[in-house]
């Protein structure tokens, strides 16, 4: 069915436009899923931060002080990275959803994945080297 302006009433809102861009409201499920992902990055950041604090608080006999400090610093840096990149990631995904563009690749995921793997390998080496 057509409106008085010659545009179909069932055409997506916000499609086209002067620049061929779509700024329509995305399906709320996608927006809410994006929000849950954002909150998960923040939860991950809190867990990494807690792990860093716990590592720093370990008794002296568990690891050498420099080992504990190294592991704690890496964990807290990963926490800061996760928290600091969570909102920009949410914003980029939201813009892509609203613009009908492909979702951006999650640049933060490999950094955290490899970072946590490095901490685990370092901890394993330190455990094996500690008498």
């Amino acid at each position: 069915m057509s409106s008085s302006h010659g545009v179909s009433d069932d055409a997506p809102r916000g499609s086209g436009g002067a620049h061929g861009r779509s700024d329509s409201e995305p399906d709320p499920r996608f927006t809410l899923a994006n929000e849950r992902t954002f909150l998960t990055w923040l939860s991950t950041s809190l867990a990494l931060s807690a792990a860093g604090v716990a590592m720093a608080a370990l008794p002296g006999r568990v690891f050498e002080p420099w080992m504990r400090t190294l592991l704690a610093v890496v964990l807290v840096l990963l926490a800061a990275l996760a928290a600091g990149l969570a909102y920009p990631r949410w914003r980029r995904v939201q813009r892509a959803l609203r613009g009908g563009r492909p979702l951006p690749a999650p640049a933060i995921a490999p950094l955290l994945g490899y970072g946590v793997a490095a901490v685990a390998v370092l901890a394993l080496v330190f455990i094996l080297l500690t008498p």
Side-chain angles (χ1 to χ4, degrees), residues 24-75:
S24 64
E25 188 67 27
D27 184 327
R29 294 174 292 181
F30 299 136
T31 296
L32 293 172
N34 189 29
E35 183 178 330
R36 283 189 303 273
T37 302
F38 167 72
L39 294 172
T40 300
W41 284 117
L42 292 182
S43 297
T44 299
S45 174
L46 287 171
L48 288 166
S49 186
V53 170
M55 182 62 68
L58 283 174
R61 64 186 182 279
V62 176
F63 288 127
E64 293 294 322
W66 70 269
M67 291 178 189
R68 284 194 323 271
T69 301
L70 175 64
L71 291 172
V73 166
V74 172
L75 287 165

Side-chain angles (χ1 to χ4, degrees), residues 96-121:
L97 288 171
R98 289 180 180 276
R101 294 182 305 274
L103 297 181
I108 188 174
L111 295 171
L112 286 179
Y114 292 131
V116 170
V119 168
V121 168

Side-chain angles (χ1 to χ4, degrees), residues 3 8 11 30 33 41 45 68-69 76 90 92 100 104-105 125 128:
S3 70
S8 171
F30 299 136
W41 284 117
S45 174
R68 284 194 323 271
T69 301
V76 173
W90 174 86
R92 282 191 312 278
V125 168
L128 294 173

